[in-house]
Amino acid sequence: MAADTGFSFGEVMIHEEQILARAAEIGKAISEEFANEEVLVVGILKGAVLWLSDVIKHIDLDVHIDFMAVSSYGASTKSSGVVRIVKDLDTSIEGKNVIIVEDIVDSGVTLNYLKSYLLGMGPKSLRICALLDKPAGRRAEIDVDYVGFTVDDRFIVGYGLDYNQRYRNLPYITCLI
């Protein structure tokens, strides 16, 4: 039983070693795409912190980091569809190569809103990097440039992803059942 939530954990879907290997591949791809340029990596709090730290270790460029907190879940296992910016950027992104780093792309509603919001700030380029992509849950069209793993339609926890602020510290990806 997963603490006292009434849920249990499913099988380990993605092991830490797989995540680390994929982060290295994506970091290398980013380095190649933006060779000899700077990138600003925007981590979406709180879920993307672990993934962001793994990816940037493998980006062989000048990397700047900023964070945003955006919410559409609350304490539920389903997105509410209402997007709210809880913490905005501390730096200007105008004229910069920006990479949004997200834990999971599910409905796409939050990321679609965020992408539009950031494009309005005039970046040179805007890419999206997600640890997990869950296309079965899509309600808004969104392209993810760098995908760690594609998962099916389950409620995923671990490696930064949570249920009601729990299970972010699991060193692997699993699901609640």
Side-chain angles (χ1 to χ4, degrees):
M1 181 75 65
D4 60 354
T5 62
F7 293 103
S8 298
F9 292 129
E11 77 281 359
V12 173
M13 298 166 61
I14 306 168
H15 292 272
E16 182 177 23
E17 296 77 20
Q18 295 171 282
I19 296 168
L20 295 174
R22 189 66 184 124
E25 292 169 1
I26 289 174
K28 182 179 179 194
I30 291 169
S31 298
E32 290 171 1
E33 180 176 353
F34 294 99
N36 303 315
E37 296 188 53
E38 293 182 358
V39 294
L40 172 63
V41 177
V42 177
I44 307 304
L45 296 172
K46 302 175 186 169
V49 171
L50 297 176
W51 176 239
L52 178 144
S53 69
D54 290 337
V55 170
I56 65 169
K57 291 174 192 173
H58 301 282
I59 298 175
D60 189 23
L61 305 167
D62 285 335
V63 177
H64 302 269
I65 301 171
D66 204 342
F67 291 95
M68 292 183 76
V70 183
S71 177
S72 70
Y73 276 85
S76 173
T77 60
K78 298 285 184 196
S79 174
S80 68
V82 177
V83 179
R84 177 171 78 92
I85 294 178
V86 180
K87 184 222 174 286
D88 209 337
L89 296 170
D90 294 328
T91 57
S92 170
I93 65 169
E94 187 174 354
K96 297 181 181 177
N97 296 308
V98 177
I99 302 170
I100 301 169
V101 178
E102 180 67 285
D103 55 1
I104 188 167
V105 181
D106 190 348
S107 71
V109 171
T110 301
L111 203 48
N112 193 43
Y113 174 86
L114 186 60
K115 182 178 179 181
S116 176
Y117 177 77
L118 293 178
L119 283 171
M121 296 180 178
K124 178 178 180 183
S125 65
L126 183 66
R127 302 288 187 275
I128 298 170
C129 172
L131 171 58
L132 302 175
D133 185 19
K134 190 187 332 180
R138 263 327 169 272
R139 293 192 329 228
E141 193 64 34
I142 190 81
D143 292 321
V144 182
D145 302 285
Y146 306 102
V147 176
F149 304 90
T150 301
V151 293
D152 56 11
D153 196 15
R154 298 189 261 179
F155 194 86
I156 309 294
V157 295
Y159 220 83
L161 288 94
D162 74 304
Y163 168 70
N164 202 19
Q165 300 301 320
R166 293 180 169 174
Y167 317 123
R168 290 187 194 278
N169 60 318
L170 296 175
Y172 51 82
I173 301 292
T174 186
C175 63
L176 294 180
I177 53 176

